[in-house]
Amino acid sequence: MIGLVWKDMLVMRKTLRAYALFLGFYLILAVMGAFDISIVTAMIQVILLMVPISAFSYDEQAKWNRYVMTFPLGRRAVVGGRYLFSLFTALAASSFGLLVCVFTSLMGRSQLEENLASVLASLGVGLFIVDIMLPLCYKLGPERARPYLYAVVFFPVIALFLAYKLGFQADLSALDRMSAPAVLGLFALVPLAALLGMGISYLVSCRIVADKEF
Amino acid sequence: MTNSIEISGLCKSYGDFALRNVSLTLPGGAIMGLIGENGAGKTTTIKCILNLIRRDAGTITLMGHDNILEERQAKEDVGVVLDECFFHDSLRPRDIGSILAPAYRSWDHALFRDYLDKFKLPERKFIKEFSRGMKMKLSLAAALAHQPRLLILDEATAGLDPVVRDEILDEFLGFIQDEDHSILISSHITSDLEKVADYITYIHRGQVVLSDAKDAILDRYGRLGCTAAQLAEVDPGDLLRVRKGSFGCEGLVADREAFRRNYPELTVDPASLEDIMLLIGKGEAV
């Protein structure tokens, strides 16, 4: 499984390098005060969404899936490799987000707790979308699954917008009354729930791959 | 000695095509050539062996291990080269070693590098810059570097020039020097198989129509060339298949010595694997 994660990293080294450069660029701008931290957290989400799906596309191009199934690994390990790579990407991107939070906070440009909550929420939402997209990629292939990505990303946004327009507004004032660590704890539940969802997503993907012919 | 491959009663249906009751045995220390026209079922058989597709019936063992129930043990000793190179264009040969090493218990980095040197494959060059011959040699190096006991090759030499093919065939012959090693090779290039194979299995329309030692096939089978009038004189039971053309007729004979004794006035030449394929594939039953 480690070899498969390593393969994804090698195949996507150019893409990952480009994302790292982007993040570095935004880090400098955020530290200089030219950008808000929210730009960095948005970038984290984009990376979380795009990298695993791109990995599927590269595999499809090389017809890798037929070859990898000849390895003495079993289908679950092959699926596990892709999930591990997605997790690794999520952790790397989020660690970077945390780094930026600490930097900007130390420089007094923003509040640490607020930034951490933002990174945790980004990580959680990004992982939730990955939880949905990976089984879809296994089922439909990356190209046919891509439109669902837009649906998964935009439907909640449209739904929230419509709800707001229709006068449904969540009362978030309770958050203001909570202590900062408590709020952070609450936000930490988002990625934790997404991680739990990843377990379920993995099992669904294993089931899909078990039924597939290569 | 345990057989490298044992297939018994293998069936797989796709609706418009079906593998029907395919059985074959590849003993250790031997090379078996799998021949047949396009769509005959060679690749489907290989995919069933590798558990890439579900079979409808039958059993398959690799080195004594059931290929589904003991898939990992079975595949640990199998090297696979399929009809294409499946490595991403953005990888380099040295990357392949680091990707495949954790997948195989017996991966040998030094051996992989030796094969790269032997096949003159630059370690740091991107695969997208490789020719087809180089890509297939890289696939072969990757298949051999974990010291397999069985090589499974599906059209691995197709589209390669004779020099590269000869180089690869030499490698097969070297691999088979260990009597514990064996090779199953599917190919349309019957001349290659005549050079290296010990056994031939011919699959036609999803069924095994011939499976025997290559020497026995080449010693026994004959190709009759005659006129339509001469063909009419031959007992239909003495011919397996016939092809009638405007310039003459051809027939496939299962025992050419017996045929010569029965019909001394007719000319029967030794049949090559290609003759056998053509007559079974394009000929008609007598």
Side-chain angles (χ1 to χ4, degrees):
Chain A
M1 204 193 287
I2 299 299
L4 301 181
V5 177
W6 183 232
K7 185 272 295 173
D8 280 342
M9 289 167 71
L10 287 171
V11 167
M12 301 204 58
R13 60 189 142 195
K14 272 190 181 171
T15 313
L16 293 173
R17 211 177 292 149
Y19 280 131
L21 276 174
F22 263 118
L23 287 175
F25 178 68
Y26 284 117
L27 169 68
I28 293 166
L29 292 179
V31 169
M32 285 168 63
F35 272 121
D36 192 76
I37 180 72
S38 60
I39 297 288
V40 175
T41 51
M43 276 295 291
I44 291 171
Q45 273 204 12
V46 171
I47 293 170
L48 281 175
L49 298 177
M50 298 314 294
V51 168
I53 297 175
S54 301
F56 275 100
S57 296
Y58 283 118
D59 281 357
E60 192 176 63
Q61 213 174 3
K63 298 179 187 167
W64 171 261
N65 282 337
R66 182 142 77 98
Y67 183 61
V68 76
M69 291 304 165
T70 68
F71 294 3
L73 294 173
R75 295 184 178 204
R76 279 175 171 261
V78 173
V79 174
R82 179 52 43 81
Y83 274 83
L84 210 58
F85 173 67
S86 303
L87 255 182
F88 171 81
T89 315
L91 286 178
S94 302
S95 306
F96 182 83
L98 285 175
L99 196 73
V100 177
C101 283
V102 174
F103 256 122
T104 51
S105 304
L106 284 176
M107 296 187 75
R109 295 199 195 282
S110 55
Q111 278 209 322
L112 181 64
E113 293 85 357
E114 200 176 303
N115 291 344
L116 285 177
S118 161
V119 169
L120 285 171
S122 287
L123 173 66
V125 172
L127 283 179
F128 266 126
I129 296 171
V130 167
D131 292 349
I132 297 169
M133 287 310 297
L134 291 193
L136 281 173
C137 283
Y138 277 116
K139 182 75 184 171
L140 305 170
E143 292 317 309
R144 285 173 61 204
R146 212 175 282 272
Y148 290 90
L149 171 65
Y150 305 124
V152 170
V153 172
F154 291 120
F155 275 163
V157 175
I158 293 167
L160 282 173
F161 179 74
L162 287 176
Y164 176 74
K165 284 286 175 193
L166 291 170
F168 295 105
Q169 287 188 29
D171 181 16
L172 300 175
S173 59
L175 287 177
D176 291 333
R177 290 193 294 274
M178 291 169 74
S179 65
V183 172
L184 274 182
L186 204 62
F187 271 86
L189 288 178
V190 183
L192 283 177
L195 273 179
L196 196 70
M198 193 167 252
I200 297 164
S201 170
Y202 166 72
L203 292 175
V204 173
S205 293
C206 284
R207 185 70 188 269
I208 292 167
V209 173
D211 289 340
K212 269 200 146 180
E213 299 203 326
F214 294 92
Chain B
M1 188 192 287
T2 313
N3 287 321
S4 296
I5 301 178
E6 280 181 32
I7 302 178
S8 174
L10 175 64
C11 298
K12 169 71 184 173
S13 175
Y14 283 112
D16 58 340
F17 166 78
L19 267 189
R20 280 167 290 167
N21 206 26
V22 169
S23 298
L24 62 88
T25 301
L26 171 60
I31 299 179
M32 177 179 279
L34 203 55
I35 60 172
E37 55 272 32
N38 287 331
K42 304 184 299 293
T43 299
T44 306
T45 304
I46 286 177
K47 282 183 174 181
C48 284
I49 292 172
L50 295 170
N51 195 25
L52 300 179
I53 55 175
R54 278 185 306 279
R55 61 189 180 229
D56 299 331
T59 57
I60 300 173
T61 60
L62 302 174
M63 274 82 59
H65 298 291
D66 186 282
N67 78 325
I68 294 177
L69 300 175
E70 301 167 290
E71 186 176 5
R72 290 189 193 186
Q73 295 100 308
K75 287 183 175 174
E76 189 64 48
D77 283 329
V78 179
V80 179
V81 182
L82 300 176
D83 50 348
E84 310 176 52
C85 175
F86 296 92
F87 299 124
H88 304 66
D89 282 348
S90 55
L91 295 176
R92 292 174 285 209
R94 56 184 248 171
D95 299 331
I96 305 300
S98 56
I99 292 167
L100 297 187
Y104 292 95
R105 274 198 298 256
S106 48
W107 181 269
D108 185 337
H109 275 295
L111 184 61
F112 182 62
R113 270 196 298 273
D114 285 349
Y115 277 117
L116 294 183
D117 288 344
K118 190 174 185 180
F119 293 147
K120 299 182 181 66
L121 298 171
E123 269 194 80
R124 291 165 184 270
K125 199 169 177 178
F126 285 107
I127 291 171
K128 67 179 169 199
E129 295 166 43
F130 279 17
S131 66
R132 177 169 164 80
M134 290 167 88
K135 285 180 179 176
M136 294 321 286
K137 284 195 267 188
L138 176 62
S139 301
L140 186 61
L144 290 168
H146 64 92
Q147 302 170 335
R149 287 158 61 201
L150 167 66
L151 266 185
I152 295 180
L153 308 132
D154 186 15
E155 299 292 350
T157 55
L160 301 180
D161 67 65
V163 176
V164 175
R165 267 191 5 242
D166 194 62
E167 209 177 329
I168 289 179
L169 292 180
D170 279 346
E171 206 50 54
F172 294 164
L173 291 172
F175 177 76
I176 214 72
Q177 291 308 306
D178 186 329
E179 62 178 25
D180 199 26
H181 289 178
S182 40
I183 302 177
L184 177 71
I185 173 171
S186 128
S187 179
H188 287 300
I189 308 169
T190 50
S191 57
D192 285 353
L193 297 181
E194 280 174 14
K195 222 182 275 181
V196 298
D198 301 298
Y199 296 89
I200 296 292
T201 294
Y202 177 18
I203 298 183
H204 178 60
R205 293 181 185 161
Q207 282 183 299
V208 173
V209 291
L210 177 65
S211 189
D212 206 343
K214 178 197 72 185
D215 290 341
I217 292 171
L218 296 179
D219 285 348
R220 224 174 46 225
Y221 279 74
R223 184 182 145 275
L224 166 71
C226 61
T227 64
Q230 286 172 317
L231 187 67
E233 299 294 314
V234 178
D235 180 351
D238 290 332
L239 293 168
L240 294 174
R241 311 285 281 189
V242 291
R243 274 179 86 187
K244 292 171 188 165
S246 46
F247 298 106
C249 298
E250 288 177 298
L252 182 65
V253 174
D255 185 342
R256 67 171 183 264
E257 289 309 319
F259 192 90
R260 275 179 188 148
R261 280 196 299 275
N262 292 339
Y263 305 95
E265 71 285 4
L266 296 179
T267 310
V268 182
D269 298 317
S272 64
L273 292 176
E274 191 167 316
D275 292 332
I276 295 171
M277 268 184 78
L278 280 172
L279 280 159
I280 292 180
K282 293 187 78 179
E284 53 197 59
V286 188

